[in-house]
Amino acid sequence: MGQEQTIDDDSMFRAAAGGDASAFAELLSRHREVVARVACRLVGGDWSAAEDIAQETFLRLWNAADRYEARGTLRSYLLTVAYRLAADYRRRQRPTTDLGDYDRHIDFSSDTGRLYETNALSNAVRDAVLELPDEQRAVFILSHYEGMKYREIADVIGCPIGTVASRKFQAVQTLRERLAPYLDSTEGVMP
Amino acid sequence: MSPCDLARMYLTALADGELPEEEAARLEAHLIDCADCRRESAQLGAVLGLADAWQLPRQFQTGVTDADARKQEEPRLMDLLLTEMRALREEVVSLRAEIAEVRREPRGTRYTPTTSTLTRESVRHDPPSLLPYAPPIEADLFGR
């Protein structure tokens, strides 16, 4: 099935490179969502930056149409471009502003408070993932949130499969330490 | 490296379905025998479960169109925000009424807050020039 998708994508891309706009539109509709989603996580949930990265990714695909060679899947190629663009974006980013104890007035028993609490956990996980070293973070995002196989992640990141496995293991260990306050002490204990 | 150390290194790959069948079977057999590694495996599952709490904006979630995101997310957030804004507006109206009452009091009479949660001290320390229709500070100091 994966092979069929590769053939389809490549045929479609050849047609797009030959000037078939509808073929390019089809490729966009197939892959734009995953590219934007991965970019969004890689840049820490900044949807505006993620949209820009997704757009730039497809623009680069279009501009590289005559030089593109199918080595892995088209999706891997797109995610590799998005991964590099996201890394560039993060390097350009300034440190975020410390908002201090801005949440001290929030009533956690209200609906808004509960929504805030859910967001606080979401933000804590996001921050923990973003604090991972670059290579671990990308592996964790692609593996955990996108469910990608190690083989494809290796293509995207440009490293051996064994390295992907080891980075995933290290990422989970680091997250376990950083998210320890949120893990129930009794959770996960089996007789 | 002990068998347990080795086993724990592969727990993530096992959870991801990335181990060859034979190695997966060997690791699963070890988990049946080893309570410590079972606990480790369960804690790994807890960490991965917690990681799912990171939610993307709705338009980036799988299968959610922009229209879905607008329909499902905005009304809820808007309702909550509107409720809070209405409560704030009522508080502002109440504070304005109290400020007006303070202005009507003859000099020397003691003011006691009634409806607002604003304290007497905070009212007294507000700069007079910030209150609506307050006399200029100069008039208060030198105009008597």
Side-chain angles (χ1 to χ4, degrees):
Chain A
M1 178 164 173
Q3 188 62 23
E4 286 172 14
Q5 181 69 53
T6 305
I7 294 166
D8 286 345
D9 277 352
D10 285 346
S11 307
M12 197 68 74
F13 188 63
R14 275 195 295 276
D20 183 347
S22 65
F24 195 75
E26 169 62 21
L27 287 175
L28 260 173
S29 76
R30 279 186 196 177
H31 299 293
R32 192 182 178 288
E33 189 177 298
V34 68
V35 169
R37 206 168 52 233
V38 168
C40 192
R41 291 209 190 268
L42 286 171
V43 299
D46 182 341
W47 63 269
S48 172
E51 292 280 10
D52 289 347
I53 287 171
Q55 194 172 329
E56 178 67 19
T57 298
F58 281 95
L59 190 62
R60 289 194 181 194
L61 175 69
W62 180 255
N63 289 336
D66 53 341
R67 301 187 300 279
Y68 173 77
E69 289 174 23
R71 290 190 190 127
T73 60
L74 184 70
R75 183 172 83 151
S76 302
Y77 175 83
L78 291 168
L79 289 176
T80 303
V81 175
Y83 165 64
R84 290 176 184 163
L85 288 171
D88 289 345
Y89 172 83
R90 279 177 58 82
R91 272 194 289 273
R92 289 196 308 269
Q93 280 300 98
R94 292 183 305 181
T96 52
T97 307
D98 180 9
L99 296 179
D101 58 349
Y102 68 95
D103 57 352
R104 67 196 154 103
H105 297 300
I106 290 174
D107 173 11
F108 285 94
S109 63
S110 69
D111 280 350
T112 315
R114 275 192 289 276
L115 188 64
Y116 175 84
E117 206 168 27
T118 304
N119 288 340
L121 177 59
S122 172
N123 291 345
V125 173
R126 179 201 63 196
D127 292 347
V129 173
L130 289 181
E131 283 168 15
L132 291 172
D134 285 352
E135 63 278 9
Q136 290 180 27
R137 184 177 60 250
V139 167
F140 186 80
I141 288 171
L142 294 173
S143 170
H144 183 73
Y145 295 110
E146 293 303 323
M148 286 169 60
K149 303 302 283 180
Y150 290 1
R151 169 78 268 168
E152 193 178 5
I153 296 173
D155 285 344
V156 171
I157 309 286
C159 66
I161 296 180
T163 307
V164 172
S166 133
R167 286 175 181 173
K168 175 77 187 285
F169 170 74
Q170 289 162 355
V172 173
Q173 294 305 313
T174 309
L175 288 177
R176 182 177 170 180
E177 287 168 20
R178 293 189 178 154
L179 296 174
Y182 296 92
L183 287 166
D184 187 286
S185 58
T186 58
E187 193 173 6
V189 177
M190 293 168 69
Chain B
M1 188 177 282
S2 73
C4 286
D5 289 338
L6 199 58
R8 286 171 196 186
M9 278 184 62
Y10 288 102
L11 285 175
T12 317
L14 179 71
D16 288 335
E18 293 279 354
L19 281 187
E21 204 171 319
E22 195 178 327
E23 286 182 40
R26 202 180 308 148
L27 183 50
E28 280 163 357
H30 176 78
L31 289 176
I32 290 171
D33 292 338
C34 179
D36 285 346
C37 286
R38 270 207 310 279
R39 187 178 297 111
E40 190 74 11
S41 174
Q43 285 181 351
L44 166 75
V47 174
L48 295 176
L50 192 60
D52 289 336
W54 179 12
Q55 297 165 349
L56 290 182
R58 281 197 65 82
Q59 64 266 38
F60 285 94
Q61 291 172 17
T62 312
V64 176
T65 64
D66 288 350
D68 289 339
R70 278 195 296 275
K71 259 186 272 175
Q72 294 172 25
E73 186 70 10
E74 287 180 6
R76 174 164 166 70
L77 280 172
M78 285 305 292
D79 286 349
L80 291 169
L81 287 170
L82 281 172
T83 305
E84 296 220 339
M85 285 175 69
R86 284 190 196 107
L88 281 171
R89 190 171 63 179
E90 283 171 16
E91 182 73 2
V92 168
V93 169
S94 160
L95 285 170
R96 280 186 178 157
E98 287 193 21
I99 289 167
E101 192 180 333
V102 169
R103 293 183 183 290
R104 282 195 299 272
E105 291 284 339
R107 289 192 179 216
T109 46
R110 187 180 179 84
Y111 165 71
T112 309
T114 52
T115 55
S116 170
T117 54
L118 204 62
T119 63
R120 182 166 176 265
E121 285 69 26
S122 65
V123 170
R124 193 175 57 201
H125 289 112
D126 275 341
S129 60
L130 295 180
L131 297 175
Y133 312 115
I137 294 174
E138 291 78 8
D140 198 35
L141 290 175
F142 307 114
R144 57 185 77 169

